[in-house]
Amino acid sequence: MANFNFANNSKFHHVKHPLIEHKLAILRDINTTTKQFMELAEEIAMLLTYEATKDLPLEEVTVETPLERAKCYMVSGKAVGIVPILRAGLGMVSGVQKLIPNAKVGHIGLYRDHDTHEPVEYYCKLPADAEQRTLIVVDPMLATGGSASDAITMIKKRGVTKIKLCCIVSAPEGVQKVLDDHPDVDVYVASLDRCLNENCYILPGLGDAGDRLFGTK
């Protein structure tokens, strides 16, 4: 068994909450329907986003209430962009958008070669002002970490410096790779599972997130 040393890494955030645990249990269940799976992925993404955006900058504003003027605070500047890793990452976008409706959405297309288990890039489109935003990269599964690490590298090559990664289920191997390759990126996960199997699937995991989201095999 490999020795993983990220437990005390300030960039790793295992988001623990009773609602997340409850929703994860249903998400993992083989009997959960496609509709339920999509709804649960959205809800967990929303809870992860709440944690991942705690450090967004604020600016002071004055608001006219029904009774008087009040000093309040709003998120400053062009705050957030969402970048799902296709295709499974699409299942988390709506959850982020419910909290941040003005977030712009980019897309990154990567797939894992079934023989080498290495990620292959086929698409990358980011918001025009991506470098002015904090980009939240979303993917339900963080298995080997290869796709997530490559996606972050692609984003950095386009001038983006503020990046966070949100995943629902993760393996220690994947978390370690992302933290090693990108020590400046905060990683948020709803679950840290046991390990990868010989086919690089997360155990206990939840199966193929893309297939379960979109009803494909």
Side-chain angles (χ1 to χ4, degrees), residues 80-163:
V80 173
I82 314 164
V83 184
I85 298 177
L86 301 175
R87 64 182 167 139
L90 293 172
M92 298 176 67
V93 172
S94 58
V96 183
Q97 287 180 313
K98 284 192 173 181
L99 286 185
I100 315 170
N102 63 342
K104 291 186 177 180
V105 182
H107 297 87
I108 284 184
L110 295 164
Y111 67 88
R112 186 174 64 182
D113 186 286
H114 287 290
D115 294 324
T116 66
H117 304 302
E118 292 298 318
V120 179
E121 171 191 343
Y122 64 89
Y123 188 76
C124 182
K125 181 74 171 181
L126 301 180
D129 58 355
E131 71 281 354
Q132 301 176 43
R133 296 174 179 265
T134 296
L135 293 193
I136 300 177
V137 180
V138 294
D139 194 352
M141 312 294 285
L142 182 58
T144 65
S147 294
S149 180
D150 276 20
I152 293 168
T153 297
M154 291 163 62
I155 292 171
K156 287 181 174 179
K157 286 180 178 178
R158 288 158 173 81
V160 180
T161 58
K162 294 177 289 185
I163 304 168

Side-chain angles (χ1 to χ4, degrees), residues 63-70:
V63 173
E64 192 76 39
T65 80
L67 299 176
E68 65 178 19
R69 288 188 174 186

Side-chain angles (χ1 to χ4, degrees), residues 11-198:
K11 292 293 185 178
F12 174 66
H13 309 271
H14 185 182
V15 183
K16 299 180 180 181
H17 191 283
L19 290 178
I20 288 180
E21 294 298 327
H22 179 84
K23 294 175 190 299
L24 272 171
I26 305 171
L27 195 75
R28 293 186 194 275
D29 193 326
I30 193 173
N31 296 309
T32 296
T33 67
T34 297
K35 179 178 182 293
Q36 291 173 316
F37 196 94
M38 179 69 80
E39 291 170 348
L40 289 161
E42 175 186 299
E43 291 165 2
I44 295 172
M46 194 185 313
L47 293 167
L48 287 172
T49 300
Y50 176 81
E51 289 295 321
T53 55
K54 279 187 172 180
D55 61 351
L56 289 179
L58 296 173
E59 61 183 17
E60 185 178 312
V61 298
T62 300
V63 173
E64 192 76 39
T65 80
L67 299 176
E68 65 178 19
R69 288 188 174 186
K71 182 175 72 174
C72 300
Y73 296 89
M74 298 183 71
V75 174
S76 176
K78 296 178 178 178
V80 173
I82 314 164
V83 184
I85 298 177
L86 301 175
R87 64 182 167 139
L90 293 172
M92 298 176 67
V93 172
S94 58
V96 183
Q97 287 180 313
K98 284 192 173 181
L99 286 185
I100 315 170
N102 63 342
K104 291 186 177 180
V105 182
H107 297 87
I108 284 184
L110 295 164
Y111 67 88
R112 186 174 64 182
D113 186 286
H114 287 290
D115 294 324
T116 66
H117 304 302
E118 292 298 318
V120 179
E121 171 191 343
Y122 64 89
Y123 188 76
C124 182
K125 181 74 171 181
L126 301 180
D129 58 355
E131 71 281 354
Q132 301 176 43
R133 296 174 179 265
T134 296
L135 293 193
I136 300 177
V137 180
V138 294
D139 194 352
M141 312 294 285
L142 182 58
T144 65
S147 294
S149 180
D150 276 20
I152 293 168
T153 297
M154 291 163 62
I155 292 171
K156 287 181 174 179
K157 286 180 178 178
R158 288 158 173 81
V160 180
T161 58
K162 294 177 289 185
I163 304 168
K164 297 174 185 279
L165 173 66
C166 287
C167 302
I168 295 176
V169 174
S170 65
E173 295 90 335
V175 173
Q176 190 68 64
K177 178 169 179 57
V178 173
L179 293 176
D180 287 345
D181 292 351
H182 302 284
D184 56 325
V185 172
D186 284 275
V187 178
Y188 295 81
V189 303
S191 175
L192 181 62
D193 281 18
R194 187 172 73 252
C195 64
L196 297 176
N197 67 11
E198 64 276 8

